[in-house]
Amino acid sequence: MLGWAIAFFVLALIAAVLGFGGIAGASAGIAKILFFVFLVLLVLSFVARAVRGRNVT
């Protein structure tokens, strides 16, 4: 997920340099959404791991 966010961010930077404002804005928006989804899933993963704990078998 983070890889996709970085890919869209790079695409937005390249589009902005080349003057494609609409594509750059859309790609930046997608990158932002994917990054926040990644953060939410990361926090949920940490919480689930903390709640589950470790098995001592």
Side-chain angles (χ1 to χ4, degrees):
M1 181 85 47
L2 185 59
W4 281 100
I6 292 171
F8 275 104
F9 180 68
V10 169
L11 179 66
L13 288 177
I14 292 171
V17 167
L18 295 177
F20 299 109
I23 296 172
S27 295
I30 292 171
K32 190 186 305 185
I33 290 169
L34 288 174
F35 181 71
F36 285 120
V37 168
F38 166 76
L39 285 179
V40 168
L41 292 175
L42 180 70
V43 169
L44 288 175
S45 174
F46 285 154
V47 169
R49 186 172 180 143
V51 168
R52 190 172 2 156
R54 290 188 175 190
N55 291 337
V56 192
T57 53

